[in-house]
Amino acid sequence: MHTLRPANLLQPPFKSQQTLPPLKKKIPINTFSTNPKSQISHLCSISSVSCSERTLLLNDWPQLVKISIGSGDLKLGQAVHAVLLKSGSQNDTFEANNLINLYAKFNRLDVAQKLFDGMLVRNAITWTSLIKGYLDDGDYESVLGIACDMYRSEEKFNEHTCSVILEACSLLEDRIFGEQIHAFAIKSGFENNVFIGTSLISMYFHSGCFREAENVFRGLAYKDVRCVNFMILEYNKAGESEMAFHVFVHLLSSDFEPNDYTFTNVISVCYENLGVEEGKQLHGLAVKFGVVREISVGNAIVTMYGKHGMSEEAERMFDAISERNLISWTALISGYVRSGHGGKAINGFLEFLDLGICCDSSCLATVIDGCSECSNLELGLQLHGFAIKHSYLSDVRLGTALIDIYAKGGDLKSARMLLDGFSCKYTAAFNAILSGFMEKIADDEEDVMVLFSQQRLAGMEPDPVTFSRLLSLSASQACLVRGRSLHAYSIKTGYANDVIVGNALITMYAKCGSIDGAFQIFKGISDRDIVSWNAMLSAYALHGLGKGALLLFEEMKREGFAPDDISILGVLQACIYSGLWEEGICLCNEIEQIYGLRPILEHFACMVDLLGRAGRLSEAMNLINSSPFSESPLLWRTLVSVSKLMANSKFSILASKRLLDLEPKDAGSFILVSNMYAGQGMLDEAAKVRTTMNDLRLSKEAGCSWIEIDSKLHHFVASGKDHPESEEIYAKLDLLNDEMKLKYEDRTHLHLVLEPI
C-alpha cells in the first residue's frame, strides 16, 4: 500500500478551515424501533427483496449499516451495498463514505480501497475513514502514506484526520511526522481542540518527549476528563507517580468530576509507586464520587491492598464487588500470595472454579505461586497438567512459576526440563531455578555456575536478582573465588552499583572471611537502603567486631535510617560475640522505649545470652518466664548453652528439664543436655539422657562443613571417612589432640569436642 512520505510534505500551509459540504438529511427512522434484527436475515437475501422492501432499504439504509457494524453482520452490510449499487446511487459521496467505513470496520480494506479509488468526489470524511481502517489494521506506514496523498490532493485535514494520523505516529514512535501534524493543527486553528490535544499528548509520550507532552497539556484552554485521564495513565506508565497524582489533584481542583476510568488509573499509581495511605484516601474518594462499585475500580482497590500485603482489606473490598470477574479473583488470590497466605489463595482458586469461571494463564501462574508459598507440590503437579491440557505452557510467567515450585520442592530435574523447554532464555525463569540451588547443596547436583554459563551463551542476560542469588550461593558455600568472579562480571555488566547486588556482595565477602572487602563494597554503595546497613551490621557481628557494629549503628541513625528488627538483632549478636555484654543489655532496654519496636523471639534469645554471659542467669530465667515466648524451645536452649558456658549446674539442670519437656522428641535438644551433664562431670546423668534418646530412636543428622581449595569444594561430615585423604586428615587431628592435651588440664571439654555425634 501507500508508503510515500516526501521530505517536502509540509512546505505549503493548510488552507483556512472551511465548512464541509452539507450531508444529505436522513429520513426519520422508526421502522426498526421495536426489533430491527428480526428482519435482518430476510433483507440479506437480495433476490427476495420486493419493491416496497427495496424502497425501505433505500430510505433506511444508514440505520441498517449501523446495525450491520454493531452486530458484526457483514452480510447485512453487503446486502445494503448491493441495493445501493443496483439503484445507481453508489457514487454519491455520502453513500460511499458509509460503505468505506463499513468495510474498514470489518477489515475488508481491499473492498474499501476499491470503493475509495472509484469515487469521483471525496471529502475529508472519505480520507479519514480509509486512514482509520488502515490504522485499525495495524498498517501504520500506509496511514502515513495515505495522509501524504491526502495532502497532495489539497484536501483539508479536519480534527479527526489529525487525531487518527497522530495515533499512527504514536504507535510508530515517529516524532518528526507527529511534529509536522502538530504544526498543521496550530495553523488550522486546532491548537485548543482537546481531541487533537489528547492525541498530541499520546504521540509525545510514546516518543519519550515528556516535556512537549506537558506543554501541550498546559496549553489547552479547555481540558476534559478524558484528556486528564490520559495524562494520569501516561505518567503512570512512565513511572512518574508523583506527577500522575498531581494531575489527579489538578482535576479535583478544577471542578472536574473524576469517573471510574480516572480512579482505576490513579489507584494503580498507588500500588505501583506510592504508599498505602494515598490508596486509602483514593478509596474514600471513590466512595464519595459513587464509582467504588464499578468493577474496574473495585479490582484496582483489591489489587492495591493486595500489593501492600493488606489481605484483609483486599478481602473486604472483594466482598463488596457485586459482579466479580476473573480479574477480581486474580487480584484477591495475588494478594493472598503476597501476604504469605498460600492456603487461602488455593481455596479462592477452587471456589471460583466451582462458580464456573474460566481460568487464564495469568491467574493459573498466581495460583502456582500460592502452591509454592505453602509448599503444596502435589497440587502444583496437578496444575501443571491443567496448564498442559489448556496449552498454557507457552506463557513465560506460568512456566516460571512452575520452575519455581519444582525448584523449591527439591525437584531440580523437572525444573531444569521446563527451563530447557523455553525457546528463548528468560532471566526470570533462570532466577526461579536458582532458588532451588539456594535450598539444596550437594555433590550430585549440577554446578550452578556451569548452568549460568550455558544460559548466558544461549542469550540469557542476567539482572540484579540473578547476581544477588548467585552471590548468596557463593556466600553459603564460603566460595570466595567464585564470589569475586561474579563481582567482576557484575562490574562488566554495569550492575555492581545496583543496591541489590551491592547488598549481596557485602554478605558474600563477610561470609567468605573478607570483612575489609565487605566494608569497601558498603562504602561504595551511593544509594544505601536499610538492607545495606543491616548487611554490614551482620558482617561485623559475624566477625566478632562489636565496637565496629556499635559505631556503624550510630552512624546509621545519624544518616536518618530508623533501625528495624534486623538492625537490632545484628548489633546484639555483635555484642555477644565480642563480649560487650553491658552495651548489648543497654540496647535491649531501648528496643521499645527508644526505637518503638516490639522485641521478636530472636531479640529475647540474644537478651538471655547477654544476661547469662554477664553472670545474671537468674534475670535471664525470669526474662524467659515473663516474655511472650516463654514456651519457645529456642530461649530455653539458649539458657542451657549459656549456663553450661558459665559452669552453673543449677540453672543448667533447670533449663535442661524445661527444654526436654518442650521438645521431648528433638535429638538436638537431647544431645545438648547430654553434653551439658558431661561438661559438669555428671557422666551418669549424661548416659541416662543418651539411653533415653536411643530408646526413643532419635538421631541427629550429622553436621556438614566444606572448604574450597584451588576452586574445588571439599565436603566433610562428622565422623565421615569418605574423603580420599581422610587418613591424613585424622592423623593431623590426632596430633592437634595431643598438643591440646598438653596445654589443658580439663580433659572433659576436650573429649566433648572430639566426641563424634
Side-chain angles (χ1 to χ4, degrees), residues 440-741:
K440 188 176 181 181
I441 303 173
D443 289 330
D444 58 346
E445 297 295 347
E446 180 179 7
D447 187 343
V448 68
M449 293 303 293
V450 173
L451 178 60
F452 178 52
S453 298
Q454 291 172 350
Q455 294 292 306
R456 282 195 302 116
L457 291 173
M460 189 273 294
E461 296 183 1
D463 63 5
V465 177
T466 312
F467 282 108
S468 175
R469 294 190 174 181
L470 288 171
L471 287 165
S472 296
L473 279 167
S474 300
S476 63
Q477 297 174 351
C479 187
L480 183 58
V481 174
R482 178 179 295 177
R484 282 175 171 165
S485 298
L486 288 167
H487 185 188
Y489 188 52
S490 69
I491 294 172
K492 181 179 179 181
T493 55
Y495 287 125
N497 294 325
D498 186 277
V499 67
I500 296 175
V501 178
N503 295 341
L505 283 167
I506 293 171
T507 303
M508 184 276 296
Y509 277 113
K511 287 188 175 182
C512 291
S514 177
I515 188 65
D516 292 336
F519 186 72
Q520 289 301 320
I521 296 296
F522 174 77
K523 283 297 184 183
I525 300 175
S526 56
D527 53 344
R528 302 183 197 119
D529 58 11
I530 188 65
V531 180
S532 310
W533 291 93
N534 290 347
M536 197 62 224
L537 287 171
S538 298
Y540 278 134
L542 186 63
H543 288 259
L545 301 174
K547 291 184 178 179
L550 289 170
L551 289 172
L552 186 70
F553 185 64
E554 293 301 321
E555 183 184 349
M556 174 180 127
K557 292 187 291 182
R558 287 195 300 271
E559 292 286 334
F561 288 91
D564 62 8
D565 295 336
I566 307 300
S567 313
I568 300 294
L569 184 61
V571 179
L572 290 177
Q573 289 174 338
C575 291
I576 291 171
Y577 299 152
S578 55
L580 301 174
W581 305 316
E582 295 303 326
E583 290 84 348
I585 292 171
C586 181
L587 178 60
C588 289
N589 295 328
E590 296 176 347
I591 293 177
E592 285 190 270
Q593 298 176 2
I594 304 297
Y595 304 111
L597 299 172
R598 178 171 295 180
I600 58 176
L601 174 61
E602 290 76 11
H603 291 161
F604 278 100
C606 289
M607 293 181 203
V608 171
D609 203 333
L610 286 164
L611 288 170
R613 289 171 187 262
R616 298 156 64 177
L617 290 168
S618 179
E619 291 181 47
M621 180 171 283
N622 291 335
L623 177 66
I624 296 175
N625 289 323
S626 62
S627 76
F629 309 102
S630 58
E631 301 296 315
S632 169
L634 174 62
L635 298 186
W636 293 103
R637 191 180 298 114
T638 304
L639 185 57
V640 171
S641 298
V642 74
S643 299
K644 173 176 170 287
L645 181 68
M646 302 302 294
N648 190 310
S649 59
K650 176 184 174 182
F651 283 100
S652 297
I653 294 170
L654 288 173
S656 297
K657 290 180 178 179
R658 186 68 177 126
L659 176 61
L660 294 182
D661 287 341
L662 292 171
E663 288 190 325
K665 294 185 179 180
D666 181 69
S669 298
F670 275 93
I671 292 172
L672 176 63
V673 172
S674 174
N675 286 345
M676 183 275 298
Y677 281 125
Q680 299 293 334
M682 305 167 67
L683 300 180
D684 291 340
E685 294 298 324
K688 288 179 182 179
V689 174
R690 291 281 185 168
T691 301
T692 304
M693 179 178 170
N694 293 333
D695 291 342
L696 293 172
R697 296 182 179 179
L698 299 178
S699 61
K700 184 176 182 292
E701 184 179 353
C704 176
S705 60
W706 53 86
I707 186 172
E708 182 190 16
I709 301 174
D710 295 333
S711 300
K712 184 177 180 181
L713 208 61
H714 298 265
H715 288 265
F716 300 97
V717 179
S719 301
K721 297 183 179 180
D722 296 333
H723 195 277
E725 299 180 49
S726 59
E727 291 185 7
E728 293 87 338
I729 293 170
Y730 277 103
K732 181 62 70 174
L733 283 173
D734 289 338
L735 288 175
L736 291 172
N737 186 23
D738 293 338
E739 289 184 19
M740 292 169 70
K741 285 180 179 179

